[in-house]
Each structure stands twice: as structure tokens, then as C-alpha cells.
């Protein structure tokens, strides 16, 4: 009981890109999604990064995700993520973030990825980093397919609710826990722990960090896992300290649109 935990946002905090947008590129290249899909999703991501994190914006993103995903096979989504994970995500993991994760684990703390991206995407990324605990968006599933409903949308205050439930279940003292994020939308997450740190912050978050005297980290060295293992020690986190995104979950939707079926249809 009470081992403590460190909660990490994913996009621009642990990896140097949007996890949702990352998986869209090969599908567009192969003609599996339309140009309109790419532009609309990229625009949504840009608006989110520029501060469009109010409840209405998050609700629209959630509903867009639900509509786009309806009817897709869950196993198909997982297969696509597995096929492209090492190409699209592994080279973009910040060495500083990987080192910090290892430091928390060595200190006996649980490490939890907390992301608005879909669980089918976030959990494999966590496994790549040696993390088994994730809080991510969950789509409702019926007969192996997405039903068109969002069971849990891991954004804004909802992240804090999930963190609180996990803390109660495991006996964490949140005043002794850590949180890391790059986005102002994660203000509730940062404020719910005793040790908030901002990483590669957007303008609003940098201002908030200054007002609250929160530590500021700048991560600048994305390095593939294999190279990190060969070149230990990784870039030290202390060297990156300067005093401090939420990936849009609609990325899951890109996996299946107009995709050639690679697995047998569900009976």
C-alpha cells in the first residue's frame, strides 16, 4: 500500500509526436484514408494544441471518434498498431523521458501512461517502455467490434477521476505522487498530485508553471530503444531541466477507414 506513482502524459511528453497522427501517415500513403480525413484530423490536433481544450471541444472530438470507429473490428485495430509500432513510435521516444521513467521505477513507484488516445494504441506503447499501467480512451465493444459509443474518454477532468480511482484502489497518497505533461489541458492532472512537472509546455502551461513554481523540463532527444540500450547512460534528465499534448483519440479511427482487410471477418 502507498508505494506511490508517476503519471505521464504521452504525446510531446514521452514521445516527440502525436501518437494519433503518427499512425495516419502510412494509411494515407497507401490510399486507406482520404485527404479530407488527414486535413480534418490534423486541424483538430492543431486546435487542441492552441488551447481548444474546453468541454465542448473535447465532446466534439469524442463524438467524432465514436462515429468514425463504429463497426470496426477491435482485433484489426490492434493488428495495425502492432505492425507499425516500432516504425512509427519507437524512434520518437524521448531519451530523457525513458530515463525518468526508469528512475521512478527504480525508486519503487508505479508508472502510469495517461493519454486521450485509444487504449489499443496506448497500451502497446506502454509495453514498449516497460509500463503495464495505462489510463486511456476506451471504446465500447460489442461482438468484437466498436459499437459507436465511448465508454471512457481520457481527457481533462476525466483523467483525474481515473487517477483518483486508481489511487484509491492501490493506496497511493496523491500528495506524494508525480505527474508530467506538456499541455494546459492537463492542468487538472498536474494539480491533483504533490509533484507536478511540465515538459515541453505550451504557452498557457508554461505561464501556469511559472505562477506555481513548478519544475520545467525540455526533452529534445528522441532515440530508438535499441540505440538507448547500446549507449547507456541516456541523456540525463537533470541536464534538461530549465526550472516545465494530448493526442487526439480520433487517430484510432484512421486505422480502419477504407483499409484492406488483413484478418478474417468476425463471424
Amino acid at each position: 500500500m502507498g508505494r506511490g506513482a508517476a503519471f505521464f502524459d504521452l504525446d510531446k511528453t514521452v514521445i516527440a509526436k502525436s501518437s494519433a497522427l503518427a499512425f495516419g501517415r502510412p494509411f494515407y500513403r497507401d490510399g486507406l484514408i482520404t485527404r479530407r480525413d488527414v486535413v480534418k484530423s490534423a486541424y483538430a490536433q492543431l486546435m487542441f494544441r492552441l488551447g481548444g481544450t474546453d468541454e465542448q471541444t473535447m465532446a466534439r472530438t469524442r463524438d467524432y471518434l465514436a462515429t468514425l470507429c463504429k463497426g470496426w473490428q477491435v482485433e484489426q485495430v490492434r493488428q495495425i498498431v502492432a505492425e507499425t509500432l516500432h516504425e512509427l513510435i519507437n524512434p520518437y521516444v524521448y531519451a530523457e523521458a525513458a530515463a525518468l521513467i526508469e528512475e521512478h521505477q527504480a525508486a519503487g513507484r508505479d508508472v502510469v501512461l495517461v493519454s486521450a488516445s485509444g487504449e489499443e494504441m496506448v497500451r502497446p506503447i506502454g509495453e514498449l517502455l516497460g509500463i503495464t499501467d495505462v489510463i486511456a480512451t476506451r471504446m465500447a465493444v460489442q461482438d468484437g467490434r466498436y459499437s459507436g459509443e465511448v465508454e471512457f474518454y481520457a481527457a481533462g477532468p476525466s483523467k483525474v477521476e481515473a487517477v483518483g480511482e486508481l489511487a484509491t484502489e492501490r493506496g497511493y497518497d496523491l500528495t506524494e505522487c508525480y505527474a508530467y505533461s506538456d499541455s494546459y489541458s492537463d492542468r487538472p492532472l498536474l494539480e491533483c498530485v504533490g509533484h507536478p512537472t511540465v515538459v515541453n509546455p505550451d504557452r498557457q502551461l508554461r505561464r501556469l508553471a511559472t505562477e506555481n513554481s513548478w519544475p520545467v523540463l525540455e526533452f529534445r532527444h528522441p532515440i530508438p530503444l535499441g540505440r538507448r540500450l547500446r549507449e547507456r547512460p541516456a541523456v540525463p534528465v537533470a541536464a534538461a531541466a530549465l526550472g516545465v499534448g494530448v493526442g487526439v483519440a480520433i487517430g484510432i479511427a484512421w486505422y480502419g477507414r477504407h483499409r484492406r482487410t488483413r484478418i478474417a471477418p468476425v463471424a
Side-chain angles (χ1 to χ4, degrees):
M1 296 290 286
R3 286 194 304 167
F7 301 94
F8 284 79
D9 177 46
L10 179 59
D11 299 349
K12 307 298 178 67
T13 301
V14 173
I15 61 176
K17 57 164 56 181
S18 162
S19 53
L21 294 180
F23 290 99
R25 178 169 52 84
F27 290 95
Y28 173 70
R29 181 187 60 209
D30 295 341
L32 304 178
I33 59 174
T34 67
R35 181 179 296 274
R36 181 180 180 184
D37 293 329
V38 174
V39 172
K40 185 174 182 179
S41 299
Y43 179 75
Q45 174 73 3
L46 175 62
M47 291 299 98
F48 210 89
R49 294 289 301 172
L50 291 178
T53 55
D54 57 89
E55 291 186 10
Q56 187 176 19
T57 299
M58 289 190 286
R60 285 199 300 266
T61 303
R62 178 199 62 209
D63 294 343
Y64 178 60
L65 165 66
T67 301
L68 221 52
C69 286
K70 186 176 181 179
W72 294 350
Q73 297 178 44
V74 177
E75 189 56 36
Q76 181 180 3
V77 172
R78 290 173 178 163
Q79 180 178 331
I80 297 168
V81 174
E83 290 172 350
T84 57
L85 182 68
H86 286 274
E87 173 191 355
L88 299 178
I89 299 298
N90 183 34
Y92 297 96
V93 175
Y94 285 120
E96 300 95 331
L100 187 56
I101 288 168
E102 291 176 358
E103 288 179 15
H104 281 296
Q105 292 172 330
R109 299 186 190 95
D110 294 336
V111 175
V112 185
L113 281 186
V114 187
S115 174
S117 293
E119 186 172 31
E120 290 81 1
M121 184 190 310
V122 178
R123 190 167 295 282
I125 295 174
E127 292 173 355
L128 184 70
L129 295 163
I131 299 171
T132 57
D133 294 318
V134 304
I135 293 172
T137 295
R138 297 190 304 272
M139 302 296 296
V141 176
Q142 184 175 6
D143 298 325
R145 297 176 182 268
Y146 296 117
S147 68
E149 301 292 330
V150 178
E151 190 174 280
F152 173 72
Y153 185 46
S158 295
K159 284 187 176 183
V160 177
E161 293 175 12
V163 165
E165 291 174 1
L166 188 62
T168 299
E169 175 187 331
R170 298 189 178 177
Y172 299 148
D173 179 355
L174 287 177
T175 64
E176 297 297 326
C177 289
Y178 296 73
Y180 301 85
S181 179
D182 72 301
S183 174
Y184 186 79
S185 66
D186 278 334
R187 176 176 182 171
L189 173 65
L190 293 164
E191 291 180 335
C192 83
V193 300
H195 301 281
T197 298
V198 297
V199 178
N200 301 340
D202 57 34
R203 183 175 301 177
Q204 284 181 288
L205 185 57
R206 187 178 293 276
R207 184 182 307 116
L208 182 67
T210 300
E211 294 171 354
N212 290 276
S213 299
W214 291 347
V216 179
L217 298 177
E218 298 287 349
F219 292 170
R220 294 290 182 261
H221 302 89
I223 301 176
L225 177 60
R227 183 177 168 189
R228 289 199 306 273
L229 293 176
R230 291 194 305 270
E231 299 181 0
R232 287 178 181 269
V235 177
V237 174
L242 298 181
V244 220
V246 176
V248 179
I250 54 177
I252 283 183
W254 298 348
Y255 298 124
R257 173 165 278 199
H258 311 308
R259 184 179 189 270
R260 301 182 186 90
T261 301
R262 298 186 183 182
I263 59 177
V266 175

